[in-house]
Amino acid sequence: MASLGELERQVMTLLWDTGSQLSANEVRDELDDSLAVTTVLTVLSRLEKKGLVRRDRGSRPHRYAAEASREDHTVEMLNEVLGQAGDREAVLARFIGSVSEDEAAALRRILS
């Protein structure tokens, strides 16, 4: 999965945080009303091509929503990075070694 640009991240954060469908105008108004609507539509189109956003074509104006949760997207990115690692175990070990005590306790609970 391709990484997200700054504006793409802002749009996804807004869609994840609202949890509902928004029009391009609503996205623009929430982010920065000085943005051109065409810019927002371009970003939404790119996110749709990346599989991160779905467009409701049954309404006018079209409405957009996140295709998957923020957590699902994060897991997909982590799996992609791990898939590129030469030694997955070493990467996991270093990651686990860098987490806080609370996060380590959460990992132990999840694994048991």
Side-chain angles (χ1 to χ4, degrees), residues 7-19:
L7 188 52
E8 289 175 324
R9 274 193 301 278
Q10 290 176 9
V11 169
M12 288 308 303
T13 297
L14 175 63
L15 292 174
W16 282 321
D17 289 349
T18 61

Side-chain angles (χ1 to χ4, degrees), residues 18-53:
T18 61
S20 61
Q21 294 183 342
L22 299 173
S23 69
N25 282 322
E26 291 168 329
V27 169
R28 182 207 55 207
D29 292 347
E30 287 294 322
L31 293 181
D32 179 358
D33 61 6
S34 70
L35 285 170
V37 138
T38 53
T39 300
V40 174
L41 285 166
T42 298
V43 169
L44 288 165
S45 177
R46 287 181 183 160
L47 290 168
E48 184 180 19
K49 287 177 185 169
K50 291 179 180 183
L52 295 170
V53 166

Side-chain angles (χ1 to χ4, degrees), residues 104-112:
L107 282 170
R108 282 191 286 280
R109 281 193 308 275
I110 291 166
L111 291 170
S112 62

Side-chain angles (χ1 to χ4, degrees), residues 1-4 50 52 72-86 88 91:
M1 169 174 294
S3 62
L4 299 178
K50 291 179 180 183
L52 295 170
D72 288 338
H73 174 66
T74 302
V75 167
E76 190 173 326
M77 289 186 336
L78 289 170
N79 281 324
E80 182 178 330
V81 169
L82 278 175
Q84 296 171 3
R88 289 174 67 113
V91 171

